[in-house]
């Protein structure tokens, strides 16, 4: 339950600290005093949208803090534990808004995103707004009301999950089908291209090797002639050779090293050079022994080189990148070839997903129809007590020849009502007046509130359009609800306020410079005066006080 609400610099509230109790608490005050400000502030703690316009004039920031006792709220405890935000038996929500329009949210002192505020808020409190009777005219809201009463969250979740799975498969199949014609043309081209590259079968780094071999074969005569010339100069010639000259130099220089040791190093260098010349001579002779002029091989290499360059131009890549391009085309061909198989898989999977969805949706429909009858009966009984003695409401399901799958199932329920004897059932929008719609909406909210496991319920001026004896019955209904849960009611009706276990007064003060709103818990004497004011206006008489005392006693 909500135990404390603290508000700083929000709207026209400078500071307000409100301690709340069990049972039914009523909030009253003059028109324009700001009876709903506390609820608006509480909405911030539950993740509602914030903006800088909510700040009190001249303030740098606004802050709202809500304390909840969750000792008997296992849903909230489990959520907090699952999100590592547990704090034993208390949950503290805090929201800060700055003058720049930024906001920060906290749960038990830990910064959190707004989505988490909303999630935990659903386990702590349920707010019924003054415009709920207008929402009741919308088919989707009627469905939400029925589902809230039936409390079949598991069926709703499974139906939504199967629907999303079916929609995902359906969208994928649509994409594949739409691309099928283009895919076939691309597939034929790829098959030809990959086959051509497969037949050519260029290997990694082969092109570089081909270029090198082609260069060697194309210049084989020059290589042969010039290599033979070099071999003659080194040591094979009939005339003077390099090796012979080096030998002569060493024959002269080595003895000189005995005369001058500084020449020994030069002689050693020449000796090393002569060894290198002899090794080069040997390697060059070996090269010439293996060098062949092979016109047939040259023709083969030239043809393969030309083909590689032709394919590279064809695929707009460098010849060195042709192997990588081949792999890319082969992978794309495999993917496109697998698309047809995927289409077949999707057809089977889509049928299975649809069957699973229909099975879940049909179970959901059966649950809705069962609870619709029960809810219709309870609403009818309640509205008869609310000065509609001949009122009757039924939840009607419209049959569909080909139901359209949706995330919420296959049903299109409609709330139909008859308010006068002999009048046929018709949709709420066609039959109910504003006052009747308000009473029907209130009856529905009270009934569904009893089914929702939320420890705190707030009714924000849901009694608009209700007066007199009907208002007294509404007060009794809300008080009865307050026996089992915490109920906070913002009202302008003394007949409702008189049934509260306690009552708070909202007042607006103006010192000529600033306006401020306050809220205080009334003792019995103050409460009598406030009920008398609600009954008779600012002029409080002995009669209005007596009437107020009767209302309070009857409460």
């Amino acid at each position: 339950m909500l135990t404390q609400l603290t508000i700083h610099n929000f709207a026209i509230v400078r500071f307000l600290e409100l301690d709340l109790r069990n049972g039914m608490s009523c909030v009253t005050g003059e028109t324009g005093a700001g009876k709903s400000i506390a609820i608006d502030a509480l909405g911030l703690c539950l993740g509602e949208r914030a903006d800088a316009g909510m700040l009190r004039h001249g303030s740098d920031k606004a802050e709202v803090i809500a304390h909840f006792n969750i000792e008997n709220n296992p849903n909230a405890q489990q959520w907090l534990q699952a999100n590592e935000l547990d704090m034993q038996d208390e949950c503290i929500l805090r929201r800060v808004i700055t003058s720049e329009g930024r906001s920060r949210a906290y749960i038990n002192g830990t910064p959190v995103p707004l989505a988490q505020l909303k999630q935990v808020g659903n386990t702590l409190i349920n707010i019924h707004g003054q415009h709920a009777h207008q929402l009741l005219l919308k088919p989707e809201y009627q469905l939400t009301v029925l589902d809230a009463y039936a409390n079949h969250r598991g069926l709703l979740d499974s139906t939504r999950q199967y629907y999303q799975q079916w929609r995902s498969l359906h969208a994928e199949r649509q994409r594949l089908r739409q691309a099928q014609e283009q895919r076939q043309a691309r597939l034929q081209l790829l098959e030809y291209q990959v086959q051509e590259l497969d037949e050519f079968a260029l290997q990694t780094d082969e092109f570089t090797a081909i270029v090198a071999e082609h260069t060697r074969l194309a210049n084989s005569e020059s290589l042969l002639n010039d290599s033979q010339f070099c071999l003659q100069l080194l040591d094979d010639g009939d005339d003077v050779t390099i090796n012979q000259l080096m030998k002569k130099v060493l024959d002269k220089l080595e003895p000189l090293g005995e005369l001058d040791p500084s020449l020994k190093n030069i002689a050693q260098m020449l000796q090393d050079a002569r060894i290198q010349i002899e090794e080069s001579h040997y390697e060059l002779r070996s090269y010439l022994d293996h060098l062949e002029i092979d016109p047939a091989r040259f023709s083969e290499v030239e043809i393969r080189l030309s083909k590689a360059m032709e394919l590279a131009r064809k695929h707009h890549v460098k010849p060195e990148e042709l192997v990588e391009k081949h792999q890319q085309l082969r992978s794309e061909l495999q993917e496109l070839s697998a698309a047809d198989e995927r289409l077949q898989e999707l057809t089977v999977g889509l049928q299975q997903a649809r069957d699973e969805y229909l099975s879940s949706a049909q179970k959901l429909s059966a649950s809705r129809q069962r609870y619709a009858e029960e809810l219709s009966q309870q609403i009818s009984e309640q509205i008869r007590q609310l000065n509609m003695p001949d009122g009757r409401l039924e939840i009607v399901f419209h049959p569909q020849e080909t139901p359209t799958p949706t995330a919420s199932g296959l049903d299109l329920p409609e709330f139909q009502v008859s308010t006068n004897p002999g009048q046929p059932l018709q949709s709420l929008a066609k039959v109910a007046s504003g006052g009747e719609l308000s009473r029907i909406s209130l009856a529905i909210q009270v009934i569904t509130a009893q089914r929702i496991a939320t420890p705190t319920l707030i009714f924000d001026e849901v009694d608009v359009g209700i007066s007199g004896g009907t208002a007294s019955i509404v007060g009794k209904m809300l008080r009865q609800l307050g026996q089992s849960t915490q109920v906070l009611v913002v009202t302008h009706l003394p007949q409702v306020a008189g049934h509260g276990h306690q009552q708070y007064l909202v007042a607006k003060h103006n010192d000529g410079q600033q306006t401020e709103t306050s809220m205080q818990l009334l003792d019995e004497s103050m409460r009598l005066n406030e009920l008398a004011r609600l009954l008779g206006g600012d002029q409080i008489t002995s009669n209005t006080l007596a009437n107020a005392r009767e209302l309070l006693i009857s409460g």
Side-chain angles (χ1 to χ4, degrees), residues 28-29 503 505 522 526-535:
T28 61
Q503 185 172 342
L505 175 65
L522 302 180
M526 297 165 67
R527 191 173 178 187
L528 281 173
N529 283 332
E530 172 60 9
L531 290 174
R533 185 194 66 78
L534 291 172
L535 284 166

Side-chain angles (χ1 to χ4, degrees), residues 304-322:
R304 189 155 181 80
L305 180 63
S306 298
K307 184 64 175 177
M309 296 181 72
E310 176 192 342
L311 288 171
R313 285 193 300 270
K314 191 174 185 178
H315 291 283
H316 307 288
V317 296
K318 296 177 181 178
E320 298 86 346
E321 300 170 349
L322 194 59

